Every structure is written in C-alpha cells, then in structure tokens.
Amino acid sequence: MACLMESSVPLQSYKEAAEWILAHTDQRPRIAVICGSGLGTLAETLENKTVIPYEDIPHFPSSTVPGHAGRLVFGLLNGKQCVCMQGRFHIYEGYSMSTVAFPVRVFSLLGVDTLIVTNAAGGINSNYSVGDIMFIKDHINMPGFCGQNPLRGPNEDGFGVRFPCMSDAYDQHLRHLAMDCTQELGLQDIVQEGIYCMLGGPSYETIAECNMLKLLGVDAVGMSTVPEVITGRHCRMHILGISLITNMAILSYNSTAHANHQEVLQTSQLRAAALIALLTNLVGKM
Ligand SMILES: *[C@@H]1O[C@H](CO)[C@@H](O)[C@H](O)[C@H]1NC(C)=O
Ligand SMILES: *[C@@H]1O[C@H](CO)[C@@H](O)[C@H](O)[C@H]1NC(C)=O
Ligand SMILES: *[C@@H]1O[C@H](CO)[C@@H](O)[C@H](O)[C@H]1NC(C)=O
C-alpha cells in the first residue's frame, strides 16, 4: 500500500513559495504557461523578463529531465503579463502527483486564472501525423484508475471543493479562440482536437498498450499534463491543453520503428516557431 500513498503538500509550503515570488518580481500575471518537452523556447520570446530558477524558490521541486530547464520566466507576451514554466515535473521522476502540480497552486496564489499546458505526445489516432498540433478536449487519467490523483489527501478548501467536476476541465471558449488563431496563422491543416491519455512512464508504451488505448478512443498519449490540469481546475482556472504530436505510436508488430526521446525533441524544434506564433496570437486575444 505504501506505494500508493500520496504525501500531500502542506498549505504553508504553497504560501511561502508564493510570498517569496511576490517579493522577487513586480509582475502580477493572470496567465501561466507550462512548457512541454522542447517547447521552452517560448519563454525566451517574453519581453521584460524576470527569470527565477526553481531552486531559489522555497519548497519548489527541481526538474531532472534533459530538454527541460528549471525556471520560471515572468514577462510580457504580446503585451500581456505571463509566467512560463520552463521545465515541468513528472511522476516518473519519483514525484507524487501533488508535487508535480505544486507550481499550479502557487500560480493560483499569485493571481493566475488561466493555465495553458503544452506537452509532447505520441499519436494514437491513425489520422494524425507527426508535427500535428492537438487541442486537448478531454483526458483520461490512467494513473487515477489505481488511486493516483494530485488531490488525494485532505482537501484544501481554500483552493477548491472536495469533489471537483472534471467534465469541463478544458475550456471550450479558449479552445475556440485557439482554433481561430490557427486559421489566421494558416495552421488549420495541422490542427486536431482530441483526447489525451496520461500514463506513468518513463518507459514508452508497448504495442499491446497502444492498441488498448486506441480501442478506448484515445487520440494521443503522454506522461504529463493531467496532474496540473486537475489541480488547476480544482482552483477554478480556465485551461487550454495543447499536445504536439512528436511521434506516432507503434500499433503493429511488423513495424521496425522505435519510440525515442530524440525524435520527440526534433519534432518539438520543428514546430516550436508555429507553437510560439499560436500562443503569442492567442494571448493577445485573451
Ligand atoms: C519594460 O522595461 C523597460 C525598462 O525597465 C521599461 O521602461 C518599460 O516600461 C517596460 N515595458 C513594459 C510594457 O512594462
Ligand atoms: C479519420 O478520418 C475519417 C475521415 O474524416 C473519419 O471518418 C474517421 O472516423 C477518422 N478516424 C479516427 C480514428 O478518428
Ligand atoms: C505483418 O506481416 C505479415 C507477413 O508479412 C502480413 O501477413 C501481415 O498482414 C502484416 N500485418 C500488418 C498489421 O501489417
């Protein structure tokens, strides 16, 4: 049973982290962006940056994955104050779901009410291609089926209710706004809308697992995002989730392809400019 125990983070830790940040920047963003694998370059485009390494912030976890820096970048994106997480946390690093989502509650205390979450994902839907941008319309919390949830443990009523609704986890209005942006930018041919499934990782999926996910109606699979979305929705944030399809899941035993992190990073670099243009345009409309 010990492996299922979620050690919930004390309320005081969120407060101390938020107070420390408020004392180290004058910026008061209402929009936070969590940058997925290889998408951290968005943060470089902010104007009037304040950069805060995670290790400077009391109680903040630290990122252990290549391709993920570890810092908060505050600044202006298309004239709007934003905070970007350059580097996120994953349960495969050994963190609990509540630790993975720690920054989201800190953002909430800073006054953030809109959360944009990006990730690199494997395409399960056979209509998808590598390089597609998928707006997440719903998710499946696969670790949740065996008790892993960032809200496990005593509820913090100050953040939200004990049993939060998740049927509206991904904000329709934001998604439509983002769709409009892709039209304006001429990206409509690479845009999809679908269901993201989180698995624990760090090993990639087996062929049998990919086929199972396909049967379940999953469009893309990855190892992140769900903890932050559940936590953000719990504290009533509006959420936009974007998956970049960096590789296609292997569904046939005849395939000679092999999933690897290099391919993920290469596709991210290929689409970084398009994603930055999309988010810049979108934030301007918010
Ligand atoms: C950006 O920083 C410069 C220099 O500190 C300042 O003059 C300018 O007003 C800032 N711009 C905005 C939009 O805050
Ligand atoms: C793929 O696209 C076709 C044509 O739009 C559609 O009929 C089919 O349902 C799609 N397949 C999946 C798995 O979404
Ligand atoms: C796999 O290869 C075998 C033998 O070449 C072929 O009969 C079979 O149809 C292939 N299966 C798929 C799913 O492509």
Side-chain angles (χ1 to χ4, degrees), residues 34-40 54 63-71 85-90 92-93 118-120 224 261 264-265:
I34 302 179
C35 302
S37 288
L39 304 174
Y54 294 159
S63 174
T64 65
V65 191
H68 288 251
R71 48 192 213 159
M85 270 185 83
Q86 237 183 353
R88 63 137 62 85
F89 312 110
H90 307 83
Y92 63 71
E93 294 175 86
T118 69
N119 63 46
S224 68
H261 192 56
V264 169
L265 294 180

Side-chain angles (χ1 to χ4, degrees), residues 183-206:
Q183 296 275 349
E184 282 174 31
L185 295 166
L187 297 172
Q188 64 277 0
D189 292 344
I190 59 164
V191 168
Q192 311 283 357
E193 194 176 64
I195 297 171
Y196 176 84
C197 178
M198 178 196 178
L199 299 186
S203 52
Y204 286 111
E205 307 71 42
T206 64

Side-chain angles (χ1 to χ4, degrees), residues 87-125:
R88 63 137 62 85
F89 312 110
H90 307 83
I91 62 172
Y92 63 71
E93 294 175 86
Y95 294 124
S96 66
M97 279 224 188
S98 52
T99 300
V100 166
F102 179 85
V104 175
R105 283 187 164 177
V106 173
F107 293 156
S108 172
L109 294 175
L110 298 180
V112 166
D113 60 14
T114 300
L115 181 65
I116 301 175
V117 196
T118 69
N119 63 46
I124 297 279
N125 185 322

Side-chain angles (χ1 to χ4, degrees), residues 125-128 214 219:
N125 185 322
S126 46
N127 288 349
Y128 289 9
K214 190 181 173 127
D219 296 300

Side-chain angles (χ1 to χ4, degrees), residues 59-94:
H59 312 293
F60 231 75
S62 51
S63 174
T64 65
V65 191
H68 288 251
R71 48 192 213 159
L72 292 184
V73 182
F74 288 80
L76 295 168
L77 182 62
N78 206 349
K80 297 243 168 70
Q81 289 192 359
C82 288
V83 53
C84 290
M85 270 185 83
Q86 237 183 353
R88 63 137 62 85
F89 312 110
H90 307 83
I91 62 172
Y92 63 71
E93 294 175 86

Side-chain angles (χ1 to χ4, degrees), residues 10-28 52 56-60 72 74 102-103 105-111 159:
L11 181 59
Q12 195 57 24
S13 302
Y14 299 111
K15 288 188 171 162
E16 284 171 13
E19 279 160 17
W20 188 94
I21 292 168
L22 290 172
H24 285 79
T25 176
D26 294 333
Q27 305 205 28
R28 298 291 179 262
I52 302 177
D56 292 356
I57 309 169
H59 312 293
F60 231 75
L72 292 184
F74 288 80
F102 179 85
R105 283 187 164 177
V106 173
F107 293 156
S108 172
L109 294 175
L110 298 180
F159 286 113

